[in-house]
Amino acid sequence: MSEYHYHEFQAIDRPLTKDELEGVRALSRRARISATHFVNEYHYGNFRGDERKLMEQVYDAHLYVANWGSRRLMLRLPTTLLPARSAEPYCAEDALTCWTRKGHLLLDFSYEAEDGGEWDFETSFTLASFTTLRTELAAGDLRPL
């Protein structure tokens, strides 16, 4: 059985600058990349970038899915919209972590299927399925946490 990894990043608050775009393009020749989006699927091999660093520096949302059951959603919001003290009570080891960097709160939701999970291509998600959660959080609705 081959491995499958799906990485998707989205810039929501602003498009990437020319320099940022060049830096992201250096991470993959096969990825679909624009000033607001990065999408790559790996069937053999791994993503060469650092998801956490990319989120801290340029992107506002990230989705990672692997065929063995790993799932990860990261969201970045300005701390003026969602302060860390509002999100911290919801943090739980191995489910949600948060940290601040350069005026942004970063939320890292993760899930590891205990049974290894099964990849179902018919029910796969894209990052667009989850960006409304970021909008809700930015509006002060903490239910997504």
Side-chain angles (χ1 to χ4, degrees):
M1 182 171 123
S2 67
E3 290 186 1
Y4 177 83
H5 305 261
Y6 176 83
H7 287 272
E8 184 176 359
F9 293 89
Q10 186 175 355
I12 298 169
D13 291 342
R14 66 167 183 85
L16 276 62
T17 66
K18 184 178 177 182
D19 289 342
E20 291 168 338
L21 201 49
E22 286 178 20
V24 170
R25 283 198 174 115
L27 298 174
S28 176
R29 292 185 203 155
R30 297 178 315 158
R32 296 184 312 268
I33 300 171
S34 73
T36 59
H37 234 91
F38 176 104
V39 179
N40 204 352
E41 296 178 66
Y42 297 88
H43 296 276
Y44 298 97
N46 293 307
F47 178 59
R48 294 188 322 216
D50 180 336
E51 298 97 338
R52 185 176 168 129
K53 184 177 176 183
L54 287 169
M55 287 295 296
E56 289 176 350
Q57 295 176 352
V58 295
Y59 288 109
D60 299 306
H62 169 61
L63 178 65
Y64 168 74
V65 178
N67 66 322
W68 57 82
S70 293
R71 309 287 188 263
R72 185 178 192 189
L73 173 68
M74 287 195 283
L75 302 172
R76 181 177 81 154
L77 296 101
T79 54
T80 55
L81 297 177
L82 182 60
R85 68 180 177 279
S86 297
E88 287 169 348
Y90 297 93
C91 292
E93 190 175 331
D94 297 328
L96 172 61
T97 57
C98 66
W99 70 99
T100 57
R101 186 76 73 231
K102 297 182 181 178
H104 289 91
L105 174 68
L106 291 105
L107 302 166
D108 189 347
F109 300 87
S110 61
Y111 173 76
E112 297 286 334
E114 289 183 25
D115 63 357
E118 288 188 26
W119 181 250
D120 182 356
F121 287 97
E122 297 302 317
T123 61
S124 62
F125 296 101
T126 63
L127 188 53
S129 307
F130 298 101
T131 54
T132 56
L133 298 175
R134 184 181 182 275
T135 304
E136 291 169 6
L137 290 165
D141 184 351
L142 299 181
R143 288 180 293 171
L145 297 175

